[in-house]
Amino acid sequence: MPKNGGMCMHDEAAPHYIDMIDQTTLGHRFIKAEFNITPTIGWQIDPFGHSAVQVYLLGAETFAGAFPEAYEPPNGFYFEVNDDSPIVQDDINLFDYNVQDRVQDFVDAALAQ
C-alpha cells in the first residue's frame, strides 16, 4: 500500500483520474475500518515520474505533511536538470562526502515549515 493510503500506485495500476480517486478512497476506508486511523500524510516515491493528474490530486489531498506548502521538495533538494541543489555524496572515500550535512539540511527545512 503506498504511503498515501491508496490501494495501488496511481500511475501504474489506476491511470485514469477517477480510478485514482476511487482507489485512494478505498484505501482510506480500509485503513479506517481495520485500524481506526485516518491517514494524515501522503508520500509516493515513483521512480518513473508522476502524471500531471497525480501531482494535482496529491496536492489537493488534505494531508498535514512535513512540506505542506506544495507538492515539491524543499529548497536545496530539487535535483532536476539545471538545478543547483548540492548533491548528496555518500561515498565516504571521496573528499566531498556530505551525508550528515545534507541530512541536517533536510531536517532543518522540515522544522522550518
Side-chain angles (χ1 to χ4, degrees):
M1 183 175 293
K3 301 280 187 195
N4 70 348
M7 292 303 289
C8 64
M9 289 183 68
H10 287 158
D11 288 7
E12 284 91 23
H16 192 269
Y17 77 96
I18 293 296
D19 297 325
M20 292 178 180
I21 294 169
D22 286 348
Q23 71 86 21
T24 299
T25 301
L26 178 65
H28 285 210
R29 287 181 177 168
F30 173 81
I31 292 170
K32 184 68 172 175
E34 292 296 318
F35 306 107
N36 197 30
I37 294 173
T38 301
T40 59
I41 189 164
W43 180 36
Q44 182 179 1
I45 297 286
D46 190 338
F48 307 107
H50 296 301
S51 68
V53 173
Q54 170 72 3
V55 173
Y56 174 79
L57 291 174
L58 286 176
E61 291 176 1
T62 55
F63 291 137
F67 298 104
E69 294 177 11
Y71 183 68
E72 293 286 333
N75 289 337
F77 289 90
Y78 200 63
F79 307 123
E80 292 294 333
V81 175
N82 298 325
D83 183 68
D84 61 354
S85 295
I87 65 166
V88 178
Q89 177 55 268
D90 63 350
D91 187 340
I92 201 162
N93 295 314
L94 295 178
F95 73 94
D96 56 349
Y97 174 79
N98 65 353
V99 171
Q100 286 96 354
D101 292 338
R102 295 302 285 147
V103 168
Q104 189 60 54
D105 292 343
F106 190 86
V107 169
D108 291 344
L111 293 174
Q113 288 194 19

